[in-house]
Amino acid sequence: MCGIIGLISEQEFTLKEAFMKLKKLEYRGYDSFGYYDTEILIKKTGHIDIPRKNKKSKIAILHTRWATHGGVTDYNAHPHQSCDKNITIVHNGIIENYQELKDDLIKRGHKFRSETDSEVVAHYFEEKLKTKSIKESCVDFINEIKGTFAVLLIKKDENRIYALKRDSPLVLGICNNKNILASDIYAFSDISDEAIFFENDEFAIVEKDNYMFFDQHGKKINKKIQKFLWEQEESEKKKFRHYMIKEIMEEPKVVKRLLFSFKTEQKSNFNKFIELIKKSKKILFIAAGTSYHASLLGVYYLHECGIEAQTLIASEFRHFATIDKETIVIAVTQSGETMDVIDGLKYAQKKRAKIISIVNVPYSTIQRMSEVSLNILAGQEVCVAATKSFVNQVTILLAIAKEFGFKINLDTLAPRIESMLKQENKIKKIAAEIYMKNDIYVLGRGLSYPVAREVALKIKEISYIHAEGMMGGELKHGTIALIEKGTPVIALISNKDYDMLSNAKEVEARGANVIKVANELNGDINVPTSNDGKFGVLAAIFGQLLTYHMALERNLPIDKPRNLAKSVTVK
Ligand code: F6R
C-alpha cells in the first residue's frame, strides 16, 4: 500500500514523465498523491492528476497514498517536510512508535502540519542533523524506528536520494543515465530489466550515476544486480473500457503461457516444488483474499487425491497454525508483498518450516523468502480486483494436484475458458436483472464452496453490493432467515451435485430468485466442462463477468474501487 518513486537522472525529465511513472504505481493506493523536486512541492487528494506545468528536473520523489494514519486530506498527502523545509520525505509503511517520537520532537520545538505517522520521519532527520551526519542519522533511524518503512529522502542542498527500507518493498532500477527507486519493478520495467532489491534494515545513497548500499551499522555492502524477466502486458486499455474486462479477456492467453512454462522455463522449479511437497509431513497453505480462495481450491484438489492439506487466512496464521520443520508452507499471492502473508511466513521461518510459493510479481519479497517459487505468469494486473491472476493460481494448483493423481486434461482449459467468456452477453442480462439488489447470496459445496466465496468477494469489492459466499449446507443453520421473495441466490452446481441442488430448492421454496450456474443440467448459465477442476475456474469467471457488468450498470469506478489497494502492505 502506498507507492513511492525516486528519480535521479543525468538528463532532465519533465513533470509529466515523472507522474507517468507514478501512475504505474497508482494501483497501490489512490487516496492522494504528491511530488517534490527541490523547487516545487505538490500534495493533492484524489486520483493522480498529471500537472500541465512545463517543468523539468533532474531529481524528484513521488508518492501515491493509501491512507492509514490521518484522513484523506491535502495536508496528509506526501511528501512531508521538516520545519526548515531542508528535508523532504515520502514513506510507505507504518512508524509504530511515531507518537512517542512526535511528542519528543514537539517538546524540542518542531511543528507538525499533518496527522500522519510519516511526518515524524522528516522532523526526525532535521533533529538528528543538528548533531550528526546524514549517514549516521540513517543508521540511528534504522535502529530507533519501530515499524515498517520504505523511505525516500531528499536533502535540499544535495543532489542525491537517501533510501531506507524495512518490510515495505523497495527496489532500485538501474536505467540508462538514471537511477529509479520504487516500491516495485512496474515503475521502470518498461525501460530496464536490471534491479537491486533492498533487504530489511538496509539503506542506500543514490546519485544519478552512482549508488552505495549500507547495512544497519553503516557498513558499506555490495549488492547484486538482478536481471528480471517480466511478461510485460500491453499496458494500454485500447478497445476495452476497463482494465478489469481486458484482464478477464486475457485469461485464455495467460493460462496457455503458464502451462507452456511448465514444460520449459519452469519445468525444473515445478519438479522441485512437487518433490518438496512429497517429502513434507504436513502441507499448509497461507494466503489472503482471492488468493486464499485459490488456495482453498488447491486443498480440495489435493484432498481428492488423498493428500492431506490445509489452508489458513494469512492474518490469522500465527493463531491457528501448528508447524514444525517437517511442515511445508505454501504461500499463494499475486503481489508477493502482502504483509499478512509475510508476517505468517516469518512465523513459519521461526518454526523452521520450509517455505515455497506461488507468486505473480517476480522478485517480490515473498518470492525471495521462498526456497522454490512458481511464477503465476499472469502479467501485470492493473485492475485492483484479481481476475487473471486467480485463474492462473488455480491452474498451477490443478497442475500440482494432477501430479498426485487428480484427473484433468489441462490442455483443454484455455479453450473452455474461451467458451465461458463467449457467454458474456447472457451474464450481462443476469447482471441487469439483479444489480439494484442490496444482498446477493452465492452457494457452493465441495469444490464450488471456495468459488462461491470468491464470487461474493468480487461482487462486494467491485459492485459494492453486500454478498455472502456460503457453504450450501450451512445456509439452513441460520442465514436462510434472510431469504425473502426475490433475493438473488447464485447456486454453483457441479456435476448434478444433488445436495447442492437440494440447497437451491430450499431457497427457491422461500421465494429466492435462484440463478443456477451448472454443468450437466440445464442451468441459467451452462459451464462448459464435465471436469470438477475446470468447473471451479469457469464458475469463478462467471462471477468476474457478472460483477463487472453489475458495476458497469451502477456506474462505479471498476478498476479502482473505493478504499482498496492492490498490494496490501500493512497488517
Ligand atoms: C481481491 C483481491 C484481494 C487479494 C488479497 C491478497 O480481488 O485482489 O483480495 O487477493 O489482497 O493479495 P495477494 O494475492 O497479492 O497476496
Side-chain angles (χ1 to χ4, degrees), residues 173-189:
I174 315 291
C175 310
N176 215 359
N177 297 329
K178 63 165 97 72
N179 285 316
I180 303 182
L181 289 145
S183 300
D184 62 48
I185 56 172
Y186 294 147
F188 51 79
S189 57

Side-chain angles (χ1 to χ4, degrees), residues 23 233-238 240-250 380-385 387-388 548 558-560:
K23 267 253 170 225
E233 294 301 329
E234 184 60 72
S235 60
E236 295 293 309
K237 281 198 295 273
K238 295 237 166 105
F240 295 102
R241 257 173 97 178
H242 297 96
Y243 279 106
M244 182 173 182
I245 191 71
K246 171 183 176 279
E247 287 160 5
I248 293 173
M249 292 302 161
E250 279 167 2
Q380 184 174 6
E381 220 172 33
V382 177
C383 174
V384 163
T387 53
K388 59 177 179 168
Y548 176 73
I558 292 178
D559 289 332
K560 294 191 187 105

Side-chain angles (χ1 to χ4, degrees), residues 34-42 57 59-62 79 81 85-90 154-156:
Y35 168 95
Y36 173 74
D37 67 5
T38 71
E39 286 167 9
I40 61 168
L41 175 71
I42 299 171
S57 180
I59 185 167
I61 49 176
L62 298 98
Q81 293 191 306
K85 298 196 167 46
N86 186 33
I87 301 289
T88 307
I89 64 102
V90 289
I154 292 182
K155 205 164 158 258
K156 199 173 176 151

Side-chain angles (χ1 to χ4, degrees), residues 287-293 332-339 341 358 366 376 381 383-387 389 393 454 457-458 461-462 564-568:
T290 288
S291 298
Y292 169 75
H293 300 146
V332 182
T333 166
Q334 187 287 128
S335 63
E337 298 293 350
T338 302
M339 188 59 83
V341 181
I358 296 173
I366 293 170
I376 290 170
E381 220 172 33
C383 174
V384 163
T387 53
S389 64
Q393 285 170 344
E454 171 56 11
L457 179 64
K458 284 282 139 346
E461 65 178 333
I462 302 298
L564 294 175
K566 185 125 191 105
S567 194
V568 186

